[in-house]
Amino acid sequence: MSALSQVRYKVRDALRRDRTFNHTIIESDAYLQGTHSVHPNELDVSHGPVLYLEDISVSFDGFQALNNLSLYIDDGELRCIIGPNGAGKTTMMDVITGKTHPDSGQVFFGQTMDLSQMAEHDIATAGIGRKFQKPTIFPEHSVWENLELAMKTDKGVWHSLFTVLSAEQKDRIEEVIEIIGLQALYFSKADLLSHGQKQWLEIGMLLMQDPRVLLVDEPVAGMTHQEMDRTAELLTSLAGKHSVVVVEHDMDFVRSIANQVTVLHEGSVLAEGTMEEVQNNQKVIEVYLGE
Amino acid sequence: MLLNYLFPHFMHEDTGGKWLISLLIAITLLVVMFNFFIPESSALHIPTYMVTLLGKYLCLALLAIALDLVWGYCGILSLGHGAFFALGGYAMGMYLMRQIGDRGVYGNAELPDFMVFLNWHELPWYWQGFEYFSFTALMIILVPGLLAYVFGWMTFRSRVTGVYLSIMTQALTYALLLAFFRNEMGLGGNNGLTDFKDILGFSLQADGTRIILFTLSALALISGYIASRFIVQSKLGKTVVAIRDAELRTRFIGYKVEDYKLWIFVFSAMLAGIAGALYVPQVGIINPGEFSPLNSIELAIWVAIGGRGTLFGAVIGALLVNYAKTYFTGALPEFWLFALGTLFIVSTLYLPQGIVGLFSQFTNKQQKQSAKHGALQEETT
Ligand SMILES: Nc1ncnc2c1ncn2[C@@H]1O[C@H](COP(=O)(O)OP(=O)(O)OP(=O)(O)O)[C@@H](O)[C@H]1O
Ligand SMILES: [Mg+2]
């Protein structure tokens, strides 16, 4: 089979509309020195931030869910986002992942990728993974299969029809199962997991995708304190290699992981800074922490 | 299990499927033997009309598998799958019409009787090529596939789901019903295509041809089953189930959901087309009635009664309900629709998993055991 798919890929490459022929490549100095050659489909974080949200507005039937929101997430940073219910945190993630199209403003992934022009699956493939607020897993599939499906690999239809897990891929799944602590539940149906375990499984699915940016919406809802500590550990360990954006209501949890906190209120940024700075911010105390 | 040596690896866990296929092979062999080698005078002789009736059931079972793929596995309740079946049937019907040659009532070597009757003078362009069996075989797959592709491309891309999609599939088959009723379509209008004589030069009335058609139907059902099992066991199949259960999640881990839905929908339509093509020479007629929305709804009922998302459940449902239908329409014709309705209500209320759900306790135990077994294997390798 692999021979056949190889042929298929060769043909596909040859017929690509944006195929580059050797003679069309401009041998500029920059190209030759290898200083700055950026493919439009490659992530470019040379300016620091990996995610740019600028003046984003979203309204639902006249209700302004996001209001000129501007936010920058640096490459490798761990950022916590807090804010009262309805502040627009989930909507912000919807905008980044292509679920909701902003009425105005710009969303960029690195310098080059305009997320508002990309479909959900392209955004996911480009390297933005997302955990939903309500844990969403594949209930009829086993833990193993859930992770298998999320794995970073060719997700085309024909590839899926004939692919078989390689030894490396199996190792990777096992590795992640260990990280999320579900070893004992390899083959149980995901539907049967507890709420906390589902949260973990969904985080595991994120890890399988090996994304550059992880958007994690309320990861510790329904978790015990022990589980929370482990989640905190996991998320902090991920930062650096990945950028992690965590939305969370649990203040203790936020305190335990955050160095940078952004407070959203009524669809725009109210304050930004360390947990301490934010906690002492008068406006924040008024709308959120004080209550 | 010894049986495993006879089946491909992706069927090893499919106990129901292994039983089903073994039974099908056994029954096919027995039916052929009892029809062919036992003299007609004997009580054990199976008359040819019965063989043909069984052949019909097998085609309908294949159609049920096709629907189960999209409904049971992908969650797309198509209430227009009869259309793909009918299109495959019409393609075969056109070939059979061309095979009649000048033996029609009007003795026109080129034109089928109904065209002569309508005072047509030449064969419409879309009838060209149907004199060749190979071309016809291609069309049997391509025409339903193409329709499914166009329909699926438009609806899945605009993310139409659920009831709305079901209604649109009903509209699709209804529109085709109306179109095929028209004489101007050049496909026999109201009467459809009938009075077939030969297939590949063999008389359709001959016992031998009928037995071969029956055997081919059994083969098509078995291969269709195995192919479908391969698909649902593959990662593609798992993805399709994932789409059924959590479409958004699937999208956000990087799958282009529309592509998957389209693929399974087109494959299913092709399978339905093959079923229709094998059905028509056995019943000897294809008319617009096959496009009737009721047919497609009945099809969904077979699958629901048999049990969705198992493949063999669809086969069991199709065989049982159609057997019951034959019996009732013979014995108590006015009761059939009531019986079907009752069956449907009882099965949705008390057997949400269909007939195969009854055995699920048994298979669950088995699955757990094999899962354990799998885990052990996983560890040792
Ligand atoms: N699809 C939608 N249609 C209409 N209104 C919506 C939609 N999605 C979100 N909203 C509204 O937009 C506002 C922001 O919602 P969002 O889910 O982003 O808040 P949130 O900050 O995530 O809140 P929570 O902490 O409760 O999760 C809410 O008032 C919500 O009712
Ligand atoms: Mg939210």
Side-chain angles (χ1 to χ4, degrees):
Chain A
M1 197 47 240
S2 70
L4 193 74
S5 61
Q6 255 181 10
V7 170
R8 220 166 54 74
Y9 288 131
K10 287 224 174 89
V11 171
R12 203 177 64 178
D13 276 348
L15 296 179
R16 281 172 73 118
R17 251 193 313 156
D18 55 351
R19 177 180 173 192
T20 32
F21 295 90
N22 285 339
H23 64 269
T24 59
I25 295 175
I26 305 157
E27 300 197 359
S28 70
D29 288 350
Y31 175 77
L32 285 176
Q33 290 159 10
T35 47
H36 208 84
S37 72
V38 175
H39 195 271
N41 292 324
E42 249 162 47
L43 183 64
D44 173 16
V45 292
S46 56
H47 290 212
V50 66
L51 268 184
Y52 295 76
L53 280 83
E54 278 168 358
D55 293 326
I56 299 285
S57 293
V58 171
S59 65
F60 298 110
D61 310 319
F63 174 78
Q64 200 76 29
L66 291 183
N67 194 355
N68 284 320
L69 173 75
S70 293
L71 188 71
Y72 305 91
I73 307 292
D74 279 333
D75 193 27
E77 115 173 89
L78 172 74
R79 174 77 64 94
C80 278
I81 296 185
I82 58 175
N85 292 108
K89 306 177 296 287
T90 302
T91 309
M92 178 202 77
M93 290 195 173
D94 287 346
V95 168
I96 298 172
T97 52
K99 186 167 176 244
T100 301
H101 285 277
D103 301 335
S104 63
Q106 288 183 316
V107 222
F108 269 80
F109 185 36
Q111 302 288 309
T112 52
M113 276 186 262
D114 184 353
L115 295 179
S116 62
Q117 302 301 318
M118 291 163 73
E120 293 102 319
H121 64 270
D122 286 329
I123 295 175
T125 316
I128 298 183
R130 170 177 191 183
K131 194 198 96 52
F132 290 101
Q133 182 162 352
K134 178 170 166 277
T136 317
I137 37 104
F138 303 128
E140 294 295 319
H141 286 310
S142 65
V143 168
W144 175 279
E145 286 167 331
N146 266 273
L147 296 175
E148 180 190 344
L149 284 169
M151 182 154 43
K152 182 177 187 171
T153 171
D154 183 345
K155 284 176 176 160
V157 187
W158 290 101
H159 182 265
S160 297
L161 182 59
F162 295 110
T163 186
V164 179
L165 280 180
S166 69
E168 276 163 41
Q169 292 176 320
K170 282 183 187 167
D171 287 348
R172 176 73 189 137
I173 297 178
E174 264 168 57
E175 208 177 295
V176 170
I177 285 191
E178 248 156 68
I179 295 176
I180 58 175
L182 297 178
Q183 297 95 314
L185 300 162
Y186 260 46
F187 293 101
S188 39
K189 241 172 61 168
D191 202 23
L192 304 175
L193 300 181
S194 72
H195 188 80
Q197 285 168 333
K198 282 182 187 165
Q199 297 271 44
W200 274 92
L201 178 57
E202 200 177 358
I203 294 175
M205 289 164 76
L206 267 189
L207 297 180
M208 291 304 301
Q209 290 176 65
D210 194 20
R212 188 66 172 253
V213 175
L214 289 86
L215 306 174
V216 199
D217 205 347
E218 306 205 6
V220 297
M223 281 191 186
T224 63
H225 273 287
Q226 257 175 332
E227 287 173 325
M228 261 190 218
D229 291 344
R230 271 177 45 213
T231 314
E233 221 172 275
L234 174 65
L235 291 177
T236 30
S237 75
L238 289 173
K241 226 171 81 190
H242 317 258
S243 308
V244 185
V245 179
V246 183
V247 164
E248 192 41 74
H249 278 295
D250 191 292
M251 280 304 146
D252 292 332
F253 180 76
V254 173
R255 212 168 279 125
S256 70
I257 61 168
N259 29 30
Q260 278 291 311
V261 178
T262 299
V263 185
L264 285 197
H265 179 54
E266 292 179 350
S268 40
V269 175
L270 187 70
E272 215 163 43
T274 62
M275 190 67 189
E276 226 162 297
E277 286 166 9
V278 164
Q279 264 178 311
N280 295 324
N281 184 310
Q282 202 53 43
K283 281 187 291 184
V284 175
I285 293 172
E286 269 168 38
V287 305
Y288 189 55
L289 293 170
E291 59 186 0
Chain B
M1 197 153 73
L2 187 68
L3 215 51
N4 276 350
Y5 289 105
L6 303 173
F7 287 97
H9 65 91
F10 54 86
M11 289 197 62
H12 286 184
E13 308 255 296
D14 178 19
T15 317
K18 281 183 291 196
W19 273 104
L20 183 83
I21 290 181
S22 312
L23 269 175
L24 271 175
I25 293 175
I27 290 175
T28 310
L29 290 177
L30 284 178
V31 166
V32 170
M33 265 180 6
F34 278 67
N35 173 272
F36 222 58
F37 298 112
I38 306 244
E40 269 176 51
S41 50
S42 160
L44 287 175
H45 175 78
I46 296 183
T48 305
Y49 80 86
M50 195 104 118
V51 176
T52 300
L53 189 66
L54 288 174
K56 254 174 59 182
Y57 291 167
L58 296 180
C59 296
L60 297 176
L62 182 59
L63 175 60
I65 289 184
L67 182 68
D68 197 26
L69 274 180
V70 292
W71 185 25
Y73 286 90
C74 199
I76 303 168
L77 173 53
S78 166
L79 291 178
H81 246 54
F84 305 121
F85 179 81
L87 284 174
Y90 263 99
M92 179 57 103
M94 286 162 84
Y95 166 76
L96 296 174
M97 288 307 268
R98 297 303 313 268
Q99 284 263 299
I100 297 174
D102 58 7
R103 285 170 294 171
V105 178
Y106 298 105
N108 189 320
E110 186 75 0
L111 298 184
D113 276 351
F114 72 88
M115 288 188 197
V116 182
F117 183 75
L118 289 172
N119 273 324
W120 291 20
H121 296 295
E122 57 186 77
L123 216 52
W125 62 268
Y126 48 86
W127 274 80
Q128 305 297 335
F130 279 97
E131 62 268 34
Y132 306 111
F133 186 77
S134 48
F135 177 82
T136 308
L138 204 62
M139 287 302 130
I140 285 167
I141 300 172
L142 281 188
V143 173
L146 194 69
L147 177 70
Y149 186 87
V150 172
F151 179 84
W153 188 77
M154 292 193 307
T155 48
F156 301 146
R157 208 176 45 122
S158 9
R159 305 204 180 162
V160 182
T161 51
V163 184
Y164 301 101
L165 190 63
S166 302
I167 292 173
M168 286 177 74
T169 54
Q170 277 266 288
L172 173 77
T173 195
Y174 190 61
L176 285 169
L177 169 78
L178 296 181
F180 275 71
F181 259 128
R182 292 160 46 89
N183 281 330
E184 294 84 346
M185 275 288 279
L187 288 164
N190 205 356
N191 300 320
L193 309 174
T194 187
D195 293 331
F196 309 134
K197 302 262 188 293
D198 298 340
I199 182 164
L200 285 165
F202 299 100
S203 165
L204 277 171
Q205 263 60 46
D207 282 2
T209 316
R210 297 195 153 233
I211 288 173
I212 287 174
L213 280 171
F214 163 76
T215 315
L216 284 177
S217 307
L219 274 180
L221 178 58
I222 291 170
S223 353
Y225 185 92
I226 293 177
S228 303
R229 179 60 62 193
F230 175 76
I231 290 168
V232 299
Q233 289 295 310
S234 73
K235 195 177 165 207
L236 189 156
K238 291 178 189 169
T239 311
V240 157
V241 171
I243 291 171
R244 178 194 73 190
D245 293 339
E247 182 167 333
L248 265 187
R249 179 73 277 176
T250 321
R251 237 182 247 291
F252 285 114
I253 52 178
Y255 289 96
K256 199 173 171 197
V257 166
E258 299 80 39
D259 282 2
Y260 280 79
K261 285 186 176 174
L262 196 55
W263 196 96
I264 201 91
F265 195 63
V266 169
F267 178 82
S268 166
M270 290 175 165
L271 217 52
I274 294 172
L278 282 163
Y279 183 80
V280 165
Q282 301 189 72
V283 294
I285 183 169
I286 173 82
N287 62 26
E290 291 297 335
F291 285 106
S292 151
L294 266 181
N295 278 17
S296 297
I297 294 175
E298 231 186 277
L299 164 61
I301 296 180
W302 309 340
V303 177
I305 289 176
R308 271 179 293 161
T310 56
L311 295 181
F312 58 84
V315 175
I316 293 173
L319 296 180
L320 280 184
V321 177
N322 279 294
Y323 174 73
K325 184 178 182 175
T326 309
Y327 174 79
F328 269 103
T329 45
L332 306 156
E334 59 276 21
F335 274 106
W336 166 241
L337 275 181
F338 294 105
L340 185 67
T342 316
L343 212 57
F344 183 58
I345 292 170
V346 167
S347 77
T348 36
L349 283 183
Y350 298 105
L351 296 172
Q353 319 258 31
I355 293 166
V356 295
L358 282 178
F359 307 114
S360 71
Q361 224 132 28
F362 170 73
T363 42
N364 265 355
K365 262 182 218 152
Q366 287 236 325
Q367 263 169 13
K368 262 184 208 142
Q369 264 164 11
S370 55
K372 257 187 226 153
H373 190 67
L376 283 178
Q377 274 190 335
E378 213 64 68
E379 272 163 33
T380 49
T381 48

